[in-house]
Amino acid sequence: MRKLGIGLIGTGFMGKSHAMAWRAAGSFSGDIQPILVSVADINGEAAENAANQFGFKRWTTTWQDLIDDPEIDVISITSPNRFHAEQSLAAIAAGKNVHCEKPLAPDSLIAEQMYQAAEKAGVMTQVGFNYIKNPMLKLAKQMIAEGELGDITGFRGIHAEDFMTSPQVPWSWRLDPTGGAGAVADLGSHILGMARFLLGPINELFADLDTVVKSRPESAGSTILKAVEVDDIARLTVKFARGCGGHIEANWVASGHKMQLGFEITGTRGSLIFNQERFNELQFYQFGQNDGRNGFRTIVAGPEHAPYNLFCPAAGHQIGFNDLKTIEMLEFIQSIASGKVVGPDFKEAYEIQKLVDASLVSSRERSWVRFNHVEVRRQDAQARLEASLIK
């Protein structure tokens, strides 16, 4: 049996999720067994606790130790956004495979460098867009591809949460402009990636970005306020290369919503509705039923919707968030084993980051951005990169 050494950077919410997912994926990974080798966190106590809780062989306060460790084959990155590029590029240079949380980079210029470095080095990469690993999303994609909705006429997508609603929520790494944009990158990257997964490329957009809370306490309980320089809400009108249009919203001040990641896709023969808050269900409407009895019907996730069957043999019993992360890691193991990209990899994350960058350009210039205007995006990314280096 081949062993795949895992090195984890970060022990927060996503770090714990990664650790659990790597362990669980080993139950399904066949001849390749992930081994939790080492975990790194700047907080030594947190690193030691994570090592003991999840079974890592060792821990460290220096992430570079993981890069230099010959027993580690995969670097799993869950650090704040502004560290993703440095850590990923170091891992790639050492010939290690990389799983990195989203958004991949502060802008598309850096993301492009990262994916090109990975391709040149011949290592496998994956980015944490775990929500598209849902069997219901894979079913939706299949139904669209097989024409069950007919010609697609529209897309409405949203990722809304309320964790930044209170003005008393302190300034944090999520608001650090050196790490990239705000809600449009943090939440928007998920719904933009989901839109691409289901309907393909977006080639034109118009965006309106808004900062609702203009300043926040610099730390919990502080009376010193720090200016907020990134967006709280992003509203996008998009046009897909396939010919249909749509609307997309990213919003982290949406009172009452804990995980409203969802979409409605309309077509000439039917429609689909999905909401992550009930992510074991897909709503399907189909034309041609008897008058007076038309309506959406619920498709409930079950073992026929692979890989749900890996977790439960009975329909309707449901899988959960950490199961999606397990599917994500399992598919990455399969990518490494086969040498074939399952994705989303660094290249796909770069394409998503271009949409984020274009949203910033569009909102600032109050104009549509077309994606054959590559130089506009690159110049904007370069300008923001230089500004971050000056700071």
Side-chain angles (χ1 to χ4, degrees), residues 94-136:
K96 299 185 187 297
N97 305 291
V98 183
H99 182 293
C100 185
E101 275 304 316
K102 42 58 62 186
L104 180 61
D107 57 55
S108 61
L109 192 67
I110 298 175
E112 183 179 29
Q113 295 169 357
M114 294 167 71
Y115 103 74
Q116 288 182 346
E119 290 195 348
K120 183 177 180 180
V123 300
M124 301 302 293
T125 61
Q126 183 162 276
V127 182
F129 294 103
N130 55 297
Y131 299 112
I132 65 170
K133 301 302 182 180
N134 187 340
M136 291 290 95

Side-chain angles (χ1 to χ4, degrees), residues 170-229:
W171 201 95
S172 69
W173 61 268
R174 292 183 187 276
L175 304 176
D176 185 349
T178 65
V184 70
D186 188 52
L187 302 186
S189 59
H190 272 306
I191 187 60
L192 286 166
M194 191 173 287
R196 282 178 53 86
F197 175 74
L198 294 166
L199 298 183
I202 294 169
N203 60 9
E204 192 172 357
L205 64 78
F206 182 93
D208 176 30
L209 275 56
D210 188 16
T211 303
V212 177
V213 182
K214 307 296 184 184
S215 61
R216 294 184 179 273
E218 66 174 4
S219 60
S222 174
T223 59
I224 300 174
L225 298 180
K226 190 169 184 177
V228 175
E229 301 177 56

Side-chain angles (χ1 to χ4, degrees), residues 275-346:
N275 187 344
Q276 177 67 23
E277 291 175 344
R278 300 183 65 90
F279 79 77
N280 283 269
E281 299 176 358
L282 186 64
Q283 303 296 320
F284 177 40
Y285 175 84
Q286 190 173 29
F287 284 109
Q289 301 176 20
N290 293 331
D291 290 341
R293 292 173 176 80
N294 286 342
F296 283 89
R297 62 184 176 89
T298 301
I299 302 172
V300 178
E304 64 273 22
H305 305 121
Y308 176 104
N309 58 305
L310 296 180
F311 302 92
C312 183
H317 286 55
Q318 305 191 356
I319 59 175
F321 173 84
N322 286 313
D323 296 325
L324 296 184
K325 296 302 289 187
T326 298
I327 295 169
E328 183 182 340
M329 300 313 181
L330 178 60
E331 290 188 356
F332 191 37
I333 293 171
Q334 293 168 345
S335 289
I336 294 170
S338 67
K340 298 179 181 179
V341 175
V342 176
D345 62 357
F346 277 18

Side-chain angles (χ1 to χ4, degrees), residues 209-282:
L209 275 56
D210 188 16
T211 303
V212 177
V213 182
K214 307 296 184 184
S215 61
R216 294 184 179 273
E218 66 174 4
S219 60
S222 174
T223 59
I224 300 174
L225 298 180
K226 190 169 184 177
V228 175
E229 301 177 56
V230 299
D231 58 287
D232 293 317
I233 304 173
R235 305 175 185 89
L236 282 61
T237 301
V238 301
K239 295 182 180 179
F240 291 87
R242 68 189 299 143
C244 65
H247 299 279
I248 292 174
E249 179 178 330
N251 186 337
W252 62 23
V253 292
S255 303
H257 286 288
K258 305 306 177 186
M259 191 55 192
Q260 189 191 14
L261 172 59
F263 60 80
E264 179 173 356
I265 299 175
T266 55
T268 56
R269 294 179 57 193
S271 300
L272 288 173
I273 296 177
F274 172 82
N275 187 344
Q276 177 67 23
E277 291 175 344
R278 300 183 65 90
F279 79 77
N280 283 269
E281 299 176 358
L282 186 64

